[in-house]
């Protein structure tokens, strides 16, 4: 039986795997629509009078700015609470915090550590909770990323994406699973020590079977980049981690450089570079300088040449964080008429 309804209303957005591929595609298209409205100065105050809490236990530039600007564009008020403002987990449990915030705010963004924390917040707050990044998943980034891919290629299904770097981090997990959901062939290029966890591969298998897309987990650069459309990388050491020595040693051979683009054999207009940012592509940062002094590297996960090349789409991707976060908040909290998402039961 199929029916048409607003399947998003009141729901939390904690991981893409909790949604159907149709729903993820809907959010991508809605993000593109909202980008168009913004560019044409057409008001879209779908959250007039709503109050949004922004909880950040880790630092952020893009996610925080996106939620603030998107909330403002939607007519909502956003209140930021950083790790030094919150009692969360230290003086007050997540359950109690969720109950309190849910009684005052209409929606909550949460960036933190374990996925179970954001799940608990959603369970006890009773309002939509949006995952702004946990150690396991980065779902709002996924809507922006596949929106960016659709903007460039005009479609998503059938493309090939290669993620290069730590194959166990939240970006590798998210790109593998969301890509397969959307019919994208995904390749994870990482040293064997950093290949994805079996529980992530189990989820990947399920979606690959449903969409018909293929995935490869490999440490072979040639195999991973041959014919690919997207070369995607992320920082070698994620937020909350500190093992630079080990990561530099393991990931140095996998730095994204121009040679990888040549090796792909993909025509120039059919391949792009993506990065969720921030990126270590030169020595203009504190960490970049330290790594240069200690290991002699002038860039880490991507060369400055690729970062500034004709392939680079990372700044469009960053802008799209705002449009896609706006779509996620509006769809789940805006009482919108959304008749076109099919649910098969
Ligand atoms: N990509 C991303 O999540 O950026 P921020 O850490 O700046 O939010």
């Amino acid at each position: 039986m199929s029916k048409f309804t607003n399947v998003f209303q009141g729901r939390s957005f904690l991981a893409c795997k909790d949604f159907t591929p149709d729903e993820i595609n809907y959010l991508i298209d809605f993000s593109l629509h909202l980008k168009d409205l913004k560019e044409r100065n057409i008001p879209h105050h779908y959250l007039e009078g709503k109050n949004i809490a922004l909880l950040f236990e880790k630092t952020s530039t893009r996610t925080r700015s996106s939620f603030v600007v998107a909330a403002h564009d939607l007519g909502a008020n956003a209140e930021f609470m950083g790790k030094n403002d919150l009692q969360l987990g230290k003086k007050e449990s997540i359950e109690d915090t969720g109950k309190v915030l849910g009684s005052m705010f209409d929606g909550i963004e949460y960036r933190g550590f374990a996925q179970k924390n954001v799940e608990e917040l959603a369970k006890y707050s009773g309002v939509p909770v949006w995952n702004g990044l946990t150690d396991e998943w980065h779902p709002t980034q996924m809507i922006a990323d596949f929106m960016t891919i659709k903007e460039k290629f005009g479609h998503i299904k059938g493309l090939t994406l290669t993620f290069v770097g730590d194959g166990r981090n939240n970006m590798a997990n998210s790109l593998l699973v969301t890509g397969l959901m959307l019919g994208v062939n995904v390749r994870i290029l990482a040293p064997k020590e950093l290949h994805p966890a079996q529980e992530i591969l189990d989820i990947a298998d399920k979606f690959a079977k449903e969409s018909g897309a293929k995935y490869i987990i490999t440490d072979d650069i040639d195999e991973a980049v041959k014919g690919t459309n997207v070369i995607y990388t992320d920082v070698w050491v994620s937020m909350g981690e500190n093992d630079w020595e080990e990561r530099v040693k393991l990931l140095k051979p996998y730095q994204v450089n121009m040679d990888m683009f040549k090796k792909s054999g993909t025509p120039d207009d059919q391949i792009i570079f993506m990065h969720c940012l921030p990126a270590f592509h030169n020595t203009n940062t504190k960490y970049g300088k330290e790594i240069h002094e200690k290991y002699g590297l002038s860039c880490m996960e991507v060369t400055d040449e690729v970062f500034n090349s004709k392939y680079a789409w990372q700044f469009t991707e960053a802008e799209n964080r705002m449009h896609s976060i706006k779509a996620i908040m509006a769809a789940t909290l805006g009482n919108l008429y959304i008749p076109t998402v099919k649910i098969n039961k």
Side-chain angles (χ1 to χ4, degrees), residues 56 59-65 111 132-133 138 140-141 171 239 275-278 321:
F56 280 84
T59 56
S60 166
T61 298
R62 278 144 290 274
T63 310
R64 175 180 175 175
S65 311
R111 167 171 287 200
L133 179 145
H138 198 357
T140 63
Q141 180 79 51
M171 284 306 304
M239 280 189 250
H275 193 309
C276 51
L277 302 179
R321 295 295 310 285

Side-chain angles (χ1 to χ4, degrees), residues 183-328:
V184 174
N185 301 306
V186 182
R187 299 163 183 176
I188 304 292
L189 171 59
K192 287 198 170 63
E193 294 87 338
L194 300 177
H195 280 187
Q198 189 54 50
E199 67 191 80
I200 301 297
L201 297 181
D202 292 342
I203 301 168
D205 284 332
K206 172 183 172 282
F207 287 116
K209 204 169 161 197
E210 284 172 18
S211 71
K214 304 266 185 279
Y215 75 87
I216 303 173
I217 313 295
T218 182
D219 59 357
D220 183 309
I221 294 175
D222 294 284
E223 182 187 26
V225 302
K226 192 171 188 295
T228 198
N229 303 106
V230 181
I231 297 184
Y232 197 121
T233 192
D234 187 12
V235 289
W236 288 346
V237 177
S238 297
M239 280 189 250
E241 296 181 324
N242 221 359
D243 37 7
W244 287 97
E245 184 106 21
E246 186 214 38
R247 294 303 167 78
V248 169
K249 196 167 127 233
L250 287 172
L251 289 167
K252 205 171 145 188
Y254 296 95
Q255 182 182 69
V256 173
N257 53 32
M258 279 298 187
D259 198 40
M260 276 193 192
F261 283 80
K262 281 197 200 92
K263 277 185 170 166
S264 74
T266 309
D268 268 0
D269 64 344
Q270 290 302 308
I271 185 166
I272 59 172
F273 169 73
M274 292 179 73
H275 193 309
C276 51
L277 302 179
F280 293 114
H281 59 98
N282 57 26
T283 54
N284 296 343
T285 59
K286 181 174 175 279
Y287 287 145
K289 277 190 186 66
E290 282 174 14
I291 294 297
H292 179 57
E293 280 160 19
K294 212 164 169 191
Y295 305 102
L297 291 175
S298 57
C299 46
M300 283 190 266
E301 71 273 11
V302 57
T303 62
D304 206 40
E305 190 183 7
V306 167
F307 197 82
N308 291 300
S309 72
K310 61 188 173 192
Y311 304 116
W313 272 67
Q314 71 275 4
F315 290 116
T316 302
E317 181 185 2
E319 181 198 323
N320 285 345
R321 295 295 310 285
M322 195 282 286
H323 305 295
S324 50
I325 280 170
K326 189 187 285 179
I328 294 162

Side-chain angles (χ1 to χ4, degrees), residues 113-134:
F113 295 88
Q115 181 73 11
K116 72 172 173 43
N117 294 350
V118 75
E119 286 167 1
E120 213 169 316
L121 201 55
K123 181 174 170 190
Y124 291 106
S125 65
V127 297
V129 170
W130 308 294
N131 178 357
L133 179 145
T134 60

